[in-house]
Amino acid sequence: MHLCSIPDSLWKLHLSTYENAIDVRGLNKYFGDKHVVKDLSLQVGRGEILGFLGPNGSGKTTAIRMLCGLLTPDSGEGHCLGYDITTQSDAIKREAGYMTQKFSYWEDLSIRENLDFVARVYELANRKHVVDEALETLGLTSRSSQLARSLSGGWKQRLALAACMLRHPKLLLLDEPTAGVDPNARRDFWEELHELASKGVSVLISTHYMDEAERCHKLAYIAYGNLLAKGSAQSIIEEQKLFTYEVTGERLMEISKVIEKDPAIEQTVIFGSTLHVSGKNSEAIEEVLKTQQFKSIPTSLEDVFIYLMKHTRDNYGESYEL
Amino acid sequence: MSFSLNRWWAIVLKEFLQLKRDRVTFAMMVVLPIIQLALFGFAINTDPKHLPIAIVSYDESDFTRTILSSMQTSDYFAINTDYTTADEAQAALKKGEIQFILTIPSDFTKKLLRGEKPSILLEADATDPVTVSVALASIDGIAQQVAKKDLVGSLSTLWSQKNPFEIRVHRLYNPNSINQYNIIPGLMGTVMTMTLTMMTALAITRERERGTMENLLATPARPLEIMTGKIIPYVFIGLVQASLILFASHFVFGVPFNGSIVLVYTVALLFIAVNLTIGITISSLAQNMLQALQLTIFYFLPSILLSGFMFPFYGMPVWAQHIGEILPLTYFNRLIRGIILKDNDLAMLWPNIWPLLIIAVVMMTLAVKFYKKTLD
């Protein structure tokens, strides 16, 4: 998929007027009395891919919708592509590309008709050419008259991204674009994203996949409306100062149940035939594990996120679905 | 597998729970019967009373006064004193503001006293034959009453004749009292109200239900662009419907076509616009397609019952007439019957055109106001 055929010089011209593609501070959103997003501050630089992570119902979708003007923040301020998110959402809608979590193109329109509608509603010049080109890069030229309904999940995602890219937005807001997509298609998708980023497109992408998180330039971890960690994957791992050990052997489930009772053990997770044990005090953990077969391993992003998730649940105690 | 009470009960419980969540459906199931009861029980009257009549009298005497007062007391007629000359009354009849004109000639009393059996003329707007026949049936009784009251003493010989005076009836616009002449043009508005309102009521709720609304909202398209854009295809559908019914009414049902075809299409276009704006308002109010359908029925039911389509408008109690006056179909029925059967011109139609214009503008404003530009 190579949807970006605009010369580099043109992108740079577009991107010369603002510092960060996204720069918001103190965003808050309530649904009724539920505080869904709390004091969210985010910066996404030009050509940067920011991974937006967090458990289900943590406010990721709400945050993304506030960024593109689909929801009005209750308080807070900021800019997307240099436009004020509270007063200039029309301009943001025109220039940012938003891809919804659920496929939201028209299933009773054909692939071409969907792209054609997008091209018209954004008033693109050279409409027929733009649509033809998008169909070709998608590899859907021969199927362009099929109804969108007939596409499989992965193809629907690709169509949605192609529709999103049709007008070469400078900022992509992607809400779990790869959920339910096979690994191969996901890899293609990420190659595409990095190519766009190299041309200066900024990307905010929410995901639950750890391999995808590691592909982002920066990560933001949000849980229960709170932004808990921000930075590169490496810095987030280091910040938590966790020591992780891998235990091997038989009956790992029983072992984990026993050692969990010790306060030094903050987290146990079974990964296939091994057990990951994490905590802040390395000596205390080694003391607990001394009867087991174990070795020290680097703490992974997934360990950190599971740790963060448990930690916030204890701190905030509340959980809600959106 | 045998019938399991437990499984059955699981389904019953689930249905109850879902019904409880859907408040609008629940409300509709209670409110609709009440409305139907009120409309059929109180508003609708197949024995219409208080039909407006203008009196053009060239003779004033005890006899004519008795005729008028017995008409009044018969309950079938309500004398409209706004029109007293022949010209005024004719125009009012054509516009549909009155249903009858009673003309008393200047030598009526003189002839009556001489026993010459004078006649008075009752002209009826017979576009709605049912309404008219009920009133006309009562007219003979009135003549009898007059005779009993005033023709006493030496004049009682006049009474002994079977009819001391004669009421000649002219049925205008539909001389043969063919019911189809009234029903078929009225059907045009009814069909358009139902289908056009329903289709546009689903227009936005469908997007909402299928999840495509989020996408549409994320585009730069403005509310007015989305709404007016969505209703345009139905303008054409409405015009096709109007043409079909016009064609059938003339060539299948033989309804005479006396008026201007341009005017018919003009008012049809206006009426289509009104229904589409109402539909789109419903669409931006309703949360889902089911609610949109229910609201459409909520609007459609009074429309057919109170607009003068099924039952005579002037036969309803005043409160029901007031409700009828906020329904577009009421005006459209008058317009379409006025043009097709009575050859009304634009000036005569105007009193029924401006309310439609107002309704269209108000509804479009409401629709845009209620339309949510965000997902809040």
Side-chain angles (χ1 to χ4, degrees):
Chain A
M1 277 201 295
H2 300 286
L3 298 172
C4 35
S5 49
I6 274 198
D8 291 27
S9 56
L10 209 66
W11 283 107
K12 289 192 178 105
L13 193 76
H14 274 302
L15 299 166
S16 57
T17 46
Y18 50 86
E19 282 284 304
N20 285 319
I22 296 178
D23 187 1
V24 293
R25 286 169 302 277
L27 288 192
N28 279 289
K29 184 69 189 175
Y30 295 84
F31 288 148
D33 55 356
K34 286 174 185 166
H35 201 166
V36 185
V37 172
K38 289 173 196 158
D39 285 324
L40 178 70
S41 298
L42 270 185
Q43 283 77 38
V44 180
R46 215 173 289 170
E48 195 170 69
I49 302 179
L50 177 84
F52 209 22
L53 298 111
N56 292 329
S58 58
K60 298 191 298 288
T61 299
T62 308
I64 293 177
R65 284 175 174 170
M66 282 196 283
L67 292 176
C68 65
L70 282 178
L71 287 174
T72 332
D74 291 317
S75 66
E77 50 156 23
H79 292 82
C80 267
L81 297 170
Y83 300 108
D84 191 306
I85 58 161
T86 48
T87 56
Q88 293 176 299
S89 59
D90 281 346
I92 299 174
K93 283 178 186 179
R94 212 163 38 237
E95 294 190 21
Y98 169 50
M99 190 172 152
T100 55
Q101 189 170 354
K102 181 176 168 279
F103 181 71
S104 64
Y105 284 85
W106 288 267
E107 297 203 322
D108 47 356
L109 292 186
S110 73
I111 295 161
R112 175 183 286 282
E113 285 161 348
N114 267 304
L115 293 173
D116 201 58
F117 170 75
V118 173
R120 279 179 198 273
V121 90
Y122 284 93
E123 301 176 281
L124 300 187
N126 267 331
R127 180 167 44 80
K128 200 181 171 318
H129 175 73
V130 168
V131 171
D132 281 341
E133 207 180 45
L135 283 169
E136 203 170 309
T137 43
L138 260 176
L140 282 175
T141 310
S142 59
R143 298 168 68 189
S144 64
S145 58
Q146 272 185 21
L147 296 189
R149 176 183 296 146
S150 67
L151 292 173
S152 67
W155 276 106
K156 278 183 182 166
Q157 296 299 83
R158 295 178 76 173
L159 170 62
L161 184 71
C164 213
M165 289 310 304
L166 212 52
R167 54 188 203 280
H168 304 292
K170 291 158 259 166
L171 168 65
L172 282 174
L173 300 164
L174 309 173
D175 195 359
E176 291 186 31
T178 53
V181 175
D182 69 60
N184 212 16
R186 270 169 50 198
R187 196 169 54 199
D188 288 349
F189 180 87
W190 273 91
E191 251 169 51
E192 170 82 2
L193 276 192
H194 273 285
E195 207 171 312
L196 288 168
S198 71
K199 294 189 174 175
V201 176
S202 309
V203 181
L204 175 69
I205 178 168
S206 73
T207 181
H208 286 300
Y209 296 112
M210 285 307 125
D211 60 322
E212 293 190 351
E214 277 159 4
R215 282 174 149 148
C216 298
H217 298 135
K218 269 197 202 165
L219 298 172
Y221 186 85
I222 182 174
Y224 309 110
N226 301 276
L227 185 67
L228 296 175
K230 206 160 47 165
S232 67
Q234 200 50 47
S235 71
I236 287 180
I237 293 172
E238 282 165 11
E239 239 171 57
Q240 297 305 321
K241 296 190 177 63
L242 283 181
F243 296 94
T244 304
Y245 296 86
E246 186 183 83
V247 180
T248 48
E250 300 283 305
R251 296 197 292 221
L252 292 173
M253 195 69 220
E254 282 166 37
I255 298 171
S256 104
K257 284 218 169 102
V258 173
I259 61 174
E260 248 175 8
K261 289 179 185 128
D262 195 287
I265 310 295
E266 298 192 51
Q267 176 176 312
T268 60
V269 187
I270 293 180
F271 281 93
S273 58
T274 62
L275 175 70
H276 287 197
V277 179
S278 310
K280 298 232 169 186
N281 186 338
S282 61
E283 284 160 24
I285 296 173
E286 284 175 27
E287 179 62 28
V288 174
L289 293 181
K290 64 184 177 206
T291 57
Q292 310 292 337
Q293 205 179 2
F294 73 94
K295 64 174 184 198
S296 171
I297 54 164
T299 306
S300 72
L301 202 53
E302 185 152 4
D303 293 321
V304 170
F305 285 151
I306 295 172
Y307 173 78
L308 280 172
M309 211 187 294
K310 277 191 177 166
H311 212 64
T312 40
R313 201 187 303 143
D314 297 342
N315 280 0
Y316 297 95
E318 45 188 328
S319 159
Y320 31 72
E321 286 299 312
L322 293 189
Chain B
M1 245 188 340
S2 61
F3 190 94
S4 154
L5 266 183
N6 290 329
R7 286 195 298 261
W8 174 78
W9 185 240
I11 294 188
V12 171
L13 273 182
K14 169 184 147 297
E15 292 306 312
F16 266 115
L17 281 174
Q18 287 179 314
L19 187 61
K20 205 177 80 184
R21 297 285 139 74
D22 191 355
R23 297 254 174 84
V24 177
T25 300
F26 202 72
M28 288 295 279
M29 288 167 82
V30 179
V31 174
L32 264 185
I34 294 174
I35 291 184
Q36 263 171 316
L37 270 177
L39 292 185
F40 279 103
F42 300 117
I44 287 160
N45 193 350
T46 46
D47 180 23
K49 302 234 164 108
H50 306 289
L51 300 172
I53 183 170
I55 309 292
V56 180
S57 178
Y58 298 103
D59 188 17
E60 291 244 353
S61 69
D62 286 346
F63 299 111
T64 62
R65 275 189 288 276
T66 309
I67 293 172
L68 299 192
S69 70
S70 55
M71 277 191 137
Q72 194 84 284
T73 51
S74 78
D75 268 3
Y76 282 102
F77 300 97
I79 294 174
N80 183 324
T81 52
D82 294 342
Y83 314 103
T84 49
T85 71
D87 287 347
E88 284 172 356
Q90 288 297 338
L93 189 74
K94 202 169 182 183
K95 281 193 209 169
E97 286 170 11
I98 53 172
Q99 198 103 35
F100 302 97
I101 305 173
L102 185 75
T103 309
I104 305 175
S106 55
D107 51 0
F108 175 77
T109 310
K110 214 188 290 171
K111 280 189 170 174
L112 183 70
L113 291 175
R114 285 195 208 133
E116 286 177 15
K117 264 191 114 171
S119 58
I120 52 179
L121 177 65
L122 184 69
E123 287 162 295
D125 172 356
T127 39
D128 179 2
V130 179
T131 313
V132 171
S133 61
V134 171
L136 293 184
S138 73
I139 213 86
D140 277 339
I142 290 169
Q144 295 294 327
Q145 271 188 322
V146 174
K148 266 188 206 160
K149 182 167 176 280
D150 284 344
L151 299 179
V152 290
S154 61
L155 294 175
S156 58
T157 48
L158 290 174
W159 176 43
S160 59
Q161 298 177 10
K162 202 165 177 237
N163 288 308
F165 62 94
E166 185 190 9
I167 296 175
R168 280 198 294 137
V169 175
H170 276 188
R171 291 162 193 266
L172 300 178
Y173 311 120
N174 184 1
N176 299 323
S177 291
I178 298 170
N179 217 1
Q180 273 86 345
Y181 288 12
N182 187 46
I183 292 289
I184 304 287
L187 201 59
M188 191 162 145
T190 310
V191 168
M192 291 201 287
T193 302
M194 183 69 201
T195 53
L196 297 178
T197 311
M198 188 168 72
M199 290 314 290
T200 40
L202 296 178
I204 292 174
T205 44
R206 189 190 296 122
E207 304 259 6
R208 212 171 278 153
E209 215 154 279
R210 292 186 183 168
T212 50
M213 197 64 201
E214 188 174 0
N215 204 337
L216 204 55
L217 286 174
T219 71
R222 315 210 45 103
L224 195 63
E225 292 163 0
I226 293 177
M227 295 206 182
T228 50
K230 274 181 166 295
I231 63 182
I232 289 299
Y234 300 105
V235 172
F236 288 97
I237 293 179
L239 286 174
V240 169
Q241 288 180 333
S243 307
L244 267 175
I245 295 176
L246 275 180
F247 183 86
S249 80
H250 193 67
F251 295 104
V252 180
F253 297 98
V255 177
F257 196 98
N258 300 322
S260 142
I261 188 95
V262 177
L263 269 180
V264 168
Y265 275 98
T266 310
V267 298
L269 205 59
L270 175 62
F271 185 63
I272 288 167
V274 171
N275 280 309
L276 295 180
T277 55
I278 289 175
I280 209 88
T281 308
I282 291 176
S283 202
S284 48
L285 275 175
Q287 295 299 314
N288 52 48
M289 288 164 77
L290 182 64
Q291 282 187 12
L293 283 180
Q294 289 168 329
L295 284 171
T296 306
I297 294 171
F298 208 73
Y299 162 68
F300 181 66
L301 194 69
S303 279
I304 54 168
L305 296 179
L306 301 182
S307 65
F309 164 67
M310 265 186 163
F311 307 101
F313 187 81
Y314 291 111
M316 302 188 302
V318 178
W319 62 265
Q321 289 187 25
H322 284 319
I323 297 176
E325 273 160 5
I326 53 171
L327 297 169
L329 188 55
T330 305
Y331 299 102
F332 184 71
N333 278 338
R334 293 178 190 165
L335 288 170
I336 198 74
R337 286 169 180 162
I339 299 169
I340 291 184
L341 301 171
K342 296 154 87 174
D343 188 23
N344 280 359
D345 58 26
L346 192 60
M348 287 176 156
L349 298 174
W350 181 246
N352 292 313
I353 287 180
W354 64 259
L356 288 181
L357 287 172
I358 289 179
I359 295 172
V361 171
V362 169
M363 281 298 156
M364 201 63 221
T365 317
L366 282 180
V368 173
K369 198 172 138 46
F370 285 131
Y371 179 83
K372 294 176 201 77
K373 268 180 78 180
T374 61
L375 294 166
D376 285 291

